[in-house]
Amino acid sequence: MARPPWRLVLLPGDGIGPEVLAAVRPLLERASWEFESRSGRRLDVQEAVVGGAAVDRFGTPLPEETLRCAQSADAVLLGAVGGPAWDGLAPDRRPEAGLLALRRALGVYANLRPARTLPATRSPLRPEVALGVDVLLVRELTGGLYFGEPRRRWVRQDGLRAAVDTMTYDEEEIRRVARVAFEAARERRGRVTSVDKANVLACSRLWREVVTEVAGEYPDVRLDHQLVDSATLRLVQRPDEYDVILTENLFGDILSDLLGGIVGQFGALASASLGADGPGLFEPVHGSAPDLAGRDLATPAGAILSFALACRYAFGAPDLAQFLTEAVDDVLGEDAGLGTRAFGERVAHHFWLRSHVALT
Ligand code: NAD
Ligand code: IPM
Ligand code: MN
């Protein structure tokens, strides 16, 4: 009996989101063929609306239909959300609120953001510093300042505007993401750097304590703790020293863009957000880049590599993930200044070549 297809839901979103996901499309047919020949499961692709596009059509950044569709998928691939057109909206109607609600609803607490020196690197750092960077940032994704209550703004009795956000973590939220980082380090160079602000924040002191406890389960992994400010300095000075970086939600958001700057190809950074069960959410690290939108200028490498991460973590095809990564490297190495669409087609060609050669 034929096995049911893998279900991939595409959420293009806003700005360059639809363009970078359109550039993934040419890869999907070949990927489906490869999946079918491995496991008898082809790839079924659906599309749904999220972000500003969903606000415009349905008045909400995460329509129920989109959430249902995502929850019943094996993997969700998101382009990007947000842009100046929606910046004035109430906080819960903003496109970004839709993305946060989606992460929370899918329970994807561990956000894996790999960053490595790419072929024909455009890093602004000196070559001896820029070469040999290979970092996996593990960012806690469903806690911390992004979700803590209370958070609101109001006008005080003295007439001044005030606002509050709350950073909260419990030990289980820290433990489960820490385990993801330690497991990943075992498959890599065996080193975790936990980044916090334990000299000031209560949440960070708890973070440090729990991460140290988890380290006891992984005697083969070396743990060190760094404060976020000096870690930021060190990352720019000696990025090659880092293997797995484990950190909370907001620090992870900031450090991942820094890693984009260090490797010099922000648009090529990909991510996988995983939970205990249910579909993973795969998305490039970059945003909707309003300055590039609609101009065929954005690199779709981050979106394609996010699909590669879906092959690895959702579709049980790590070999295809590897071919896709190599195909992106092939195209980056050609350095032909390709537009978004042509880049996708070129990667599809190299992907076909690499997977075909592996067959013969
Ligand atoms: P951004 O990530 O969109 O852009 C930052 C810089 O990187 C810009 O100079 C942009 O041109 C460049 N860049 C981004 N993606 C690129 C790509 N694929 N190829 C080449 N260059 C690329 O960040 P921003 O300008 O601060 O935010 C714009 C909007 O995107 C905001 O509304 C923000 O909330 C949203 N955002 C969404 C996500 C997401 O959907 N996951 C992530 C970050 C920001
Ligand atoms: C990211 C983005 C999001 C975040 C925004 C758009 C909510 O910056 O994925 O890095 O802050 O997590
Ligand atoms: Mn970010």
Side-chain angles (χ1 to χ4, degrees):
M1 205 175 69
R3 300 182 65 195
W6 290 117
R7 288 197 49 213
L8 173 68
V9 170
L10 302 180
L11 302 179
D14 311 317
I16 61 168
E19 291 171 66
V20 296
L21 284 206
V24 178
R25 283 260 180 202
L27 298 159
L28 298 180
E29 200 181 321
R30 177 71 186 180
S32 180
W33 188 88
E34 294 280 350
F35 290 152
E36 190 162 18
S37 70
R38 279 169 179 69
S39 60
R41 301 183 71 167
R42 59 182 179 78
L43 185 66
D44 177 57
V45 182
Q46 284 184 17
E47 202 167 301
V49 278
V50 75
V55 171
D56 291 350
R57 278 179 58 189
F58 302 106
T60 167
L62 181 64
E64 272 190 24
E65 172 74 22
T66 298
L67 179 57
R68 257 200 309 275
C69 196
Q71 281 171 325
S72 63
D74 295 297
V76 179
L77 183 63
L78 182 136
V81 298
W86 304 281
D87 279 346
L89 293 180
D92 58 337
R93 289 190 60 217
R94 286 183 64 112
E96 293 86 349
L99 174 58
L100 297 180
L102 179 64
R103 290 173 178 171
R104 185 82 165 185
L106 295 178
V108 288
Y109 59 80
N111 180 218
L112 278 51
R113 296 187 158 185
R116 64 194 163 95
T117 309
L118 294 161
T121 178
R122 291 189 218 152
S123 174
L125 301 181
R126 292 191 312 278
E128 65 270 26
V129 181
L131 294 175
V133 178
D134 184 3
V135 180
L136 176 68
L137 182 94
V138 178
R139 168 188 178 194
E140 199 290 325
L141 199 62
T142 52
L145 268 174
Y146 277 65
F147 296 96
E149 295 289 348
R151 52 208 193 98
R152 65 188 179 95
R153 51 178 290 175
W154 72 99
V155 179
R156 264 181 357 209
Q157 277 183 341
D158 62 7
L160 294 184
R161 285 164 298 168
V164 61
D165 290 284
T166 304
M167 184 188 275
T168 123
Y169 272 108
D170 69 38
E171 59 180 294
E172 186 46 34
E173 287 177 299
I174 301 168
R175 194 174 294 119
R176 63 188 184 176
V177 71
R179 289 200 173 113
V180 172
F182 281 92
E183 292 289 337
R186 268 195 174 152
E187 305 296 315
R188 296 171 49 94
R189 301 193 301 281
R191 199 165 163 198
V192 171
T193 303
S194 176
V195 173
D196 62 36
K197 187 74 184 172
N199 53 348
V200 176
L201 301 176
C203 280
S204 284
R205 284 191 281 273
L206 179 64
W207 183 277
R208 205 174 262 224
E209 206 172 290
V210 175
V211 170
T212 305
E213 287 161 16
V214 171
E217 301 167 21
Y218 298 86
D220 49 325
V221 176
R222 190 170 127 215
L223 168 68
D224 66 311
H225 302 277
Q226 290 181 8
L227 297 171
V228 64
D229 45 359
S230 54
T232 307
L233 173 67
R234 194 69 189 160
L235 257 171
V236 174
Q237 292 171 329
R238 289 295 305 272
D240 61 316
E241 280 181 1
Y242 293 84
D243 179 13
V244 175
I245 296 175
L246 165 65
T247 194
E248 65 87 45
N249 204 343
L250 181 64
F251 297 160
D253 178 45
I254 297 166
L255 291 182
S256 51
D257 277 37
L258 177 70
L259 283 168
I262 288 170
V263 303
Q265 284 264 57
F266 181 45
L269 292 197
S271 85
S273 304
L274 309 172
D277 45 36
L281 174 63
F282 300 87
E283 43 171 324
V285 172
H286 65 72
S288 61
D291 50 329
L292 305 180
R295 301 168 63 195
D296 197 44
L297 288 175
T299 173
I304 295 171
L305 291 171
S306 297
F307 176 63
L309 291 173
C311 291
R312 182 179 307 280
Y313 292 109
F315 303 134
D319 55 335
L320 286 192
Q322 185 61 29
F323 294 147
L324 278 166
T325 306
E326 288 166 3
V328 168
D329 283 4
D330 290 339
V331 178
L332 289 174
E334 289 172 0
D335 204 23
L338 298 170
T340 313
R341 186 196 304 258
F343 192 103
E345 281 162 7
R346 197 80 196 130
V347 172
H349 173 69
H350 281 277
F351 177 47
W352 185 88
L353 281 177
R354 288 194 172 268
S355 54
H356 187 72
V357 166
L359 275 182
T360 52

